[in-house]
């Protein structure tokens, strides 16, 4: 069974902007290699973070057995220094599995958010991608409420961990590369520690920070999620710049009103 889950946030990336009225996204400063405005590459700062992360991951014990990643370019670029060494040295014959269930979070909107790059679009840029793996849980193209994000991440992690638990190769350590909101949701899902207020500052997600979750008991009756201890909460001691660009929910991630807000507005007296 999987005994350890490592989750790393992508390194420092370039930015984009969005017109919330039209849903028009624009890449800022650096054009995306995939041509998708919400799929920017890392900055030079991020490239350095990725190299430092790779050095640290190469020392992890027990070593990484299997790797999953969000489909966005910045996540695969963050993993690349490590995976080039990891697969190139013959330490593993596996591939990186691209899973949209652990992909970026976009707030609920009346417009469609840009789709992440396809496997075909990513393959010319990155080696070692699993061409046969298919994502099971895909976010809505019009985004999610925060509760829907948590539900999606729970389904995705349950599927991933259960699949690996039943893998005849018996991998022990899983590495995931994802995004800030998704990582916070993953911490809550794995530990079963869901706060009453989604804005609670609990699980950290610094750029290139590494979180580690250890299974409490190798008991299939416990289920794949809700049975993990967080022993590293976005560790950054291996980064020359330390903890940077942290993030937390602020209650305003949706582009549309929450249902209760809409109801309150319709019931309020017209002045």
């Amino acid at each position: 069974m999987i005994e350890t889950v490592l989750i790393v946030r992508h390194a420092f990336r370039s930015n984009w902007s969005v017109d919330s009225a039209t849903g028009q996204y624009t890449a800022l400063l650096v054009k995306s290699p995939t041509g998708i405005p919400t799929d920017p590459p890392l900055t030079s700062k991020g490239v350095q973070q990725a190299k430092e992360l790779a050095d640290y991951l190469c020392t992890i014990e027990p070593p990484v057995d299997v790797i999953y990643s969000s489909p966005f370019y910045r996540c695969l670029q963050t993993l690349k220094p490590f995976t080039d060494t990891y697969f190139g040295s013959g330490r593993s014959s596996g591939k990186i599995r691209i899973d949209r269930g652990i992909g970026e979070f976009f707030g609920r909107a009346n417009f469609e958010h840009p789709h992440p790059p396809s496997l075909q679009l990513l393959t010319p840029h990155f080696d070692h991608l699993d061409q046969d793996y298919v994502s099971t849980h895909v976010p809505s193209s019009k985004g999610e409420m925060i509760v829907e994000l948590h539900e999606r991440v729970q389904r995705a992690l349950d599927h991933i961990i259960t699949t690996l638990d039943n893998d005849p190769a018996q991998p022990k350590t899983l590495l995931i590369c994802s995004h800030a909101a998704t990582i916070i949701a993953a911490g809550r899902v794995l530990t079963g520690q869901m706060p009453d207020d989604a804005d609670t500052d609990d699980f950290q997600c610094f750029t290139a920070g590494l979180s580690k979750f250890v299974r409490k008991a190798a008991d299939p009756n416990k289920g794949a999620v809700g049975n993990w201890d967080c022993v590293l909460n976005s560790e950054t001691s291996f980064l020359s710049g330390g903890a940077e660009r942290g993030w937390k929910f602020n209650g305003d991630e949706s582009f549309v009103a929450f249902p209760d807000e809409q109801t309150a507005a319709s019931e309020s007296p017209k002045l």
Side-chain angles (χ1 to χ4, degrees):
M1 299 177 71
I2 289 292
E3 298 173 354
T4 303
V5 176
L6 305 172
I7 305 181
V8 63
R9 184 184 175 191
H10 62 78
F12 204 99
R13 61 162 171 79
S14 184
N15 288 324
W16 68 77
S17 65
V18 58
D19 184 330
S20 60
T22 65
Q24 179 67 41
Y25 281 86
T26 304
L28 301 177
L29 301 179
V30 181
K31 183 179 179 181
S32 167
T34 61
I36 300 169
T38 56
D39 192 35
L42 303 181
T43 63
S44 57
K45 168 80 171 182
V47 171
Q48 179 61 34
Q49 286 183 321
K51 292 176 181 177
E52 293 171 343
L53 171 66
D55 290 341
Y56 184 72
L57 287 174
C58 286
T59 69
I60 289 289
E61 292 293 340
V64 172
D65 291 310
V66 61
I67 302 173
Y68 280 69
S69 177
S70 160
F72 286 91
Y73 188 96
R74 56 193 176 276
C75 287
L76 290 166
Q77 189 181 9
T78 298
L79 288 173
K80 183 173 170 54
F82 172 64
T83 54
D84 282 353
T85 300
Y86 178 72
F87 293 116
S89 64
R91 292 176 63 183
S92 174
S93 58
K95 301 287 185 180
I96 304 170
R97 296 176 178 177
I98 304 299
D99 198 304
R100 290 191 63 187
I102 53 172
E104 180 67 286
F105 165 66
F106 292 100
R108 179 71 70 82
N110 293 318
F111 52 82
E112 289 199 1
H113 298 287
H115 289 273
S118 65
L119 190 59
Q120 292 72 24
L121 197 56
L122 289 168
T123 297
H125 300 282
F126 301 102
D127 297 324
H128 316 298
L129 303 186
D130 190 330
Q131 300 293 324
D132 299 319
Y133 184 80
V134 178
S135 297
T136 302
H137 302 95
V138 178
S140 167
S141 61
K142 289 191 174 181
E144 303 162 299
M145 294 297 189
I146 294 176
V147 65
E148 293 172 316
L149 163 69
H150 286 76
E151 291 169 350
R152 183 248 297 178
V153 171
Q154 178 167 343
R155 291 193 299 269
L157 288 177
D158 184 74
H159 174 74
I160 290 170
I161 294 171
T162 299
T163 298
L164 296 176
D165 282 346
N166 295 319
D167 188 335
Q170 289 296 286
K172 302 298 183 186
T173 303
L174 162 65
L175 172 64
I176 293 172
C177 187
S178 189
H179 311 264
T182 308
I183 289 172
I184 294 172
R188 294 169 177 176
V189 165
L190 288 172
T191 61
Q193 297 173 6
M194 189 68 66
D196 293 332
D197 183 355
D199 293 355
T200 299
D201 189 7
D202 46 8
F203 294 97
Q204 304 304 309
C205 49
F206 302 109
T207 49
L210 180 71
S211 294
K212 180 178 181 179
F213 300 87
V214 177
R215 206 167 200 156
K216 293 180 182 179
D219 182 354
N221 296 320
K222 292 290 187 179
V225 297
N227 188 40
W228 302 76
D229 287 322
C230 179
V231 297
L232 288 178
N233 192 357
S234 201
E235 173 66 31
T236 58
S237 62
F238 54 88
L239 297 173
S240 56
E244 298 180 273
R245 212 174 189 183
W247 189 92
K248 65 183 290 293
F249 291 107
N250 290 302
D252 57 355
E253 280 73 28
S254 178
F255 290 87
V256 297
F258 286 91
D260 56 346
E261 293 175 345
Q262 293 173 330
T263 300
S266 65
E267 293 177 349
S268 62
K270 301 295 187 282
L271 301 178

